[in-house]
Amino acid sequence: MVKGRLTRGTTKVVGVMGFPVKHSLSPAMHNAAFEALEMDWVYVPFEVSPEDIPEALKGVKSLGIIGVNVTVPHKENVMPYLSEISEDVHRIGAVNTIINDRGKLRGLNTDSVGFVRSLGKEAEGNGRTAFIYGAGGSARAVASALQRQKWRVVIHNRTRERAEMLARSLNESGAGYNQIEVVSDNATAVNDALQVTSLFVNCTPIGMHPIVDQVPAVEIRNMPYSSIIYDLIYHPLETQLLKAAKQLGYRTMNGAEMLVQQGAEAFELWTEQKAPVDVMRKALLSCLT
Ligand code: NAP
């Protein structure tokens, strides 16, 4: 329960389903937002094992829960139990937010929107090149978002076939946008791509706690000085990649803002109110520092 507030018969409930879920930072962000806006809502972490997903989703309906976030390992396996999924979910292949719409469960993904919101005025690509390092779940959400924001997106991944699969599936559903390209493994091709890169996004766990001394195997100094280096990692807030980028004079962003903004988007979908983003950011950062 939120400190200093009571739940009662009128309290609206949202939450997060994961396995495990105790490390989720979302309860802190959302409950701080409800408290700041004096809303009679509460955000609860629900630890749900994979075999209990069908029953848990029935419970969302029968208990009148307004909606839930969905985290690892359920982002894909909730899909068969939903009445409807959004276009973003089709493209990304994962659900991170469910809305209980009077007994119909709608699956959405706020990661792409969260990433775009985090970029602010830099979100519009206008044909500029974004270099995505990695080809897993987060790369998919980021590549999908940037393709639709009219970036030229290039992907480089340790396992090239996975980057090719990602590009192929987003290009199939991204008719009318720039086609996503895969950068081959040789150093010349990587450096050629870096030389025209305006936005580099690390979508791998390289540099994440506890192995914090690693950096992606690319020469970031080959990028133009006006480029932004964005690391999706938020633990630590400043990775070795970001430290090195700062020393070279680049603008940098860490993963905390995407986390805040994907949460803000979910908050707005459930409550139909503007999220107090500053409050959510402060709550998140107080957990991370
Ligand atoms: P994922 O689906 O497991 O994908 C991981 C990617 O990293 C794969 O492309 C993998 O390459 C690559 N990779 C892993 N270890 C590597 C290494 N040692 N060298 C080179 N490549 C390596 O993970 P994810 O969900 O995309 O998450 C990636 C990172 O983003 C994590 O640090 C996560 O915390 C962060 N993240 C942040 C947010 C946010 O809101 N800020 C949201 C989502 C994720 P292969 O294909 O070759 O295996």
Side-chain angles (χ1 to χ4, degrees):
M1 195 173 62
V2 186
K3 193 177 155 206
R5 293 165 68 222
L6 290 173
T7 52
R8 22 178 181 242
T10 51
T11 305
K12 294 195 163 78
V13 179
V14 286
V16 55
M17 285 185 183
F19 190 71
V21 81
K22 60 177 177 287
H23 300 299
S24 172
L25 301 167
S26 297
M29 277 197 298
H30 286 276
N31 285 323
F34 295 145
E35 193 161 9
L37 298 183
E38 297 183 2
M39 291 169 69
D40 186 14
W41 287 60
V42 66
Y43 187 104
V44 186
F46 298 110
E47 185 154 290
V48 180
S49 63
E51 64 274 18
D52 287 333
I53 277 292
E55 287 305 312
L57 292 174
K58 277 187 202 160
V60 168
K61 293 194 241 184
S62 58
L63 296 171
I65 292 171
I66 304 288
V68 283
N69 284 134
V70 182
T71 187
V72 181
H74 304 318
K75 287 184 168 194
E76 286 109 34
N77 61 20
V78 293
M79 280 198 251
Y81 308 102
L82 305 177
S83 304
E84 184 184 311
I85 54 174
S86 69
E87 194 200 331
D88 266 343
V89 171
H90 271 293
R91 271 168 67 79
I92 299 167
V95 170
N96 81 339
T97 303
I98 294 174
I99 301 177
N100 177 11
D101 191 357
R102 285 162 296 170
K104 283 201 164 150
L105 299 186
R106 289 166 47 207
L108 301 109
N109 192 306
T110 63
D111 281 338
S112 279
V113 179
F115 180 73
V116 170
R117 284 173 64 143
S118 76
L119 282 172
K121 59 181 174 30
E122 292 289 349
E124 209 54 53
N126 297 320
R128 289 182 293 164
T129 299
F131 189 117
I132 298 186
Y133 191 78
S138 61
R140 211 177 171 81
V142 167
S144 170
L146 291 174
Q147 188 185 34
R148 289 210 296 218
Q149 292 296 124
K150 301 193 170 59
W151 286 79
R152 169 182 174 247
V153 178
V154 302
I155 304 180
H156 179 67
N157 190 47
R158 175 176 64 179
T159 313
R160 184 175 167 171
E161 299 76 45
R162 203 168 171 200
E164 280 165 354
M165 267 169 51
L166 197 165
R168 204 176 310 122
S169 86
L170 287 180
N171 288 338
E172 273 167 19
S173 61
Y177 297 110
N178 288 325
Q179 294 285 288
I180 294 173
E181 300 157 44
V182 174
V183 182
S184 74
D185 299 333
N186 75 69
T188 309
V190 171
N191 286 330
D192 286 351
L194 289 172
Q195 274 171 20
V196 292
T197 289
S198 298
L199 173 67
F200 177 91
V201 192
N202 177 31
C203 297
T204 74
I206 299 170
M208 188 168 75
H209 179 82
I211 312 172
V212 294
D213 55 351
Q214 291 185 338
V215 286
V218 288
E219 287 290 345
I220 54 168
R221 66 177 71 240
N222 288 333
M223 281 185 276
Y225 287 121
S226 56
S227 309
I228 299 172
I229 317 268
Y230 194 139
D231 198 330
L232 290 198
I233 292 170
Y234 47 81
H235 186 35
L237 286 170
E238 190 172 73
T239 56
Q240 284 299 330
L241 169 69
L242 295 189
K243 274 192 192 131
K246 252 187 198 169
Q247 274 167 10
L248 290 165
Y250 293 110
R251 286 180 288 165
T252 60
M253 290 185 69
N254 63 43
E257 193 61 16
M258 175 175 170
L259 195 58
V260 169
Q261 296 291 351
Q262 63 76 31
E265 182 72 13
F267 180 100
E268 290 172 4
L269 288 165
W270 293 324
T271 66
E272 298 178 347
Q273 290 199 42
K274 197 163 166 37
V277 175
D278 291 347
V279 170
M280 295 175 82
R281 184 183 299 115
K282 194 171 162 208
L284 175 74
L285 292 177
S286 75
C287 298
L288 290 173
T289 48

